[in-house]
Amino acid sequence: TIGIGIKIFGISGAKVVSDDGAGTADLLLQNVPFFFVDDAKAMCGFTKASFEGWGDEWVQRYSPVTSSLLDAMAKPIRSVFDTQLWSVVPFKLGASYCKYVLRPGTSTFATEPNINDPHFLAADLKGRMKAGPATLHIYVQKRPSLEEHSEAYLDEHFPLDRATVVWDEQSAPLVEVGTITLPRQDIARPEQETYGDWLAFNIGRVPLANAPVGSIAEARMAIYQTSADYRRSTNSQPGSEPTAPGKPTIQNPKCPFP
């Protein structure tokens, strides 16, 4: 799958996952509107079975729909600027809930991607950003209220802890809330790549009123934080959130092994 991590600066207040007082928030999305299992318990079962060599049997025995969803997640993508992305899991929206959607806007087509190159998506992204600016449009899909539908209807069609279920856009239309403009730039600069590799994203690094919900979200918050802490510690890099874009200056980690 294709994913995107957006780090937003200037967001004050307490976060579900600490921002170290830096005033940051994260938004993570992927290019399919569903996850391949419903909840964290199923994810753990699938992962354990896969490590033990019987993942296919687990799918057939416990979650037959997972196989078709994994196939759907493998859809071909020709450009990261040519695909819609979803938050997949829901988030609090004050007293309600929502999901986030990101749609591509405009970008400068560079050259026809060479799909035989295993890094063609990166080459396309570098080419487009060097050729001109690009835009992305952010949407919010608000969950219908109990005044509009029964609780049973919402649990079935707009569940909070069944990540395989896609929320219907007819019943819950998308509302555009913002546009991201990416200026023309050379993203192949080594220092920018090093900085990007150092960044850490977490779906729980959001204000308390916008907390992610569901067991998949709970598991991701813990795993992402543990992974980021280990990576930065191993690389002898700063373990706190940046306070401004491009800051601090990050040095490439040195391999500790001869």
Side-chain angles (χ1 to χ4, degrees), residues 190 194 197 235 237 250-254:
T194 299
D197 284 344
N235 291 339
Q237 294 175 330
I250 302 299
Q251 300 298 319
N252 235 342
K254 292 181 171 57

Side-chain angles (χ1 to χ4, degrees), residues 21-212:
T24 58
D26 295 340
L27 185 61
L28 286 86
L29 308 98
Q30 68 181 51
N31 69 319
V32 288
F34 52 80
F35 199 56
F36 62 90
V37 289
D38 274 329
D39 52 35
K41 181 178 180 180
M43 180 63 189
C44 288
F46 171 79
T47 303
K48 182 176 184 293
S50 297
F51 275 124
E52 294 173 352
W54 59 287
D56 290 342
E57 182 182 343
W58 183 93
V59 168
Q60 296 304 318
R61 185 187 303 177
Y62 297 104
S63 184
V65 72
T66 291
S67 182
S68 61
L69 293 179
L70 286 171
D71 289 341
M73 292 173 76
K75 63 182 180 180
I77 299 297
R78 297 181 67 84
S79 172
V80 296
F81 280 129
D82 192 31
T83 180
Q84 182 166 306
L85 301 106
W86 293 263
S87 65
V88 182
V89 299
F91 292 74
K92 289 183 179 178
L93 187 64
S96 185
Y97 300 93
C98 75
K99 290 186 178 182
Y100 300 107
V101 176
L102 196 69
R103 286 178 173 170
T106 58
S107 61
T108 303
F109 184 78
T111 58
E112 187 68 27
N114 175 17
I115 60 175
N116 294 317
D117 174 7
H119 305 291
F120 78 89
L121 286 173
D124 175 82
L125 180 61
K126 292 174 184 176
R128 291 191 188 224
M129 290 311 305
K130 199 168 186 178
T135 58
L136 300 166
H137 301 292
I138 304 177
Y139 295 79
V140 166
Q141 183 186 25
K142 186 177 178 181
R143 189 183 194 234
S145 68
L146 285 172
E147 296 176 353
E148 301 170 275
H149 297 286
S150 68
E151 187 171 350
Y153 177 90
L154 294 179
D155 287 343
E156 180 179 357
H157 298 284
F158 295 90
L160 300 178
D161 196 23
R162 285 170 53 219
T164 61
V165 178
V166 178
W167 286 9
D168 178 41
E169 293 185 9
Q170 295 296 320
S171 300
L174 305 183
V175 178
E176 186 172 358
V177 295
T179 298
I180 299 173
T181 300
L182 304 171
R184 178 180 178 181
Q185 58 190 289
D186 180 9
I187 65 171
R189 293 182 294 116
E191 61 271 24
Q192 184 161 335
E193 184 174 355
T194 299
Y195 183 79
D197 284 344
W198 166 76
L199 287 174
F201 296 88
N202 196 306
I203 61 169
R205 191 170 289 115
V206 290
L208 302 179
N210 306 108

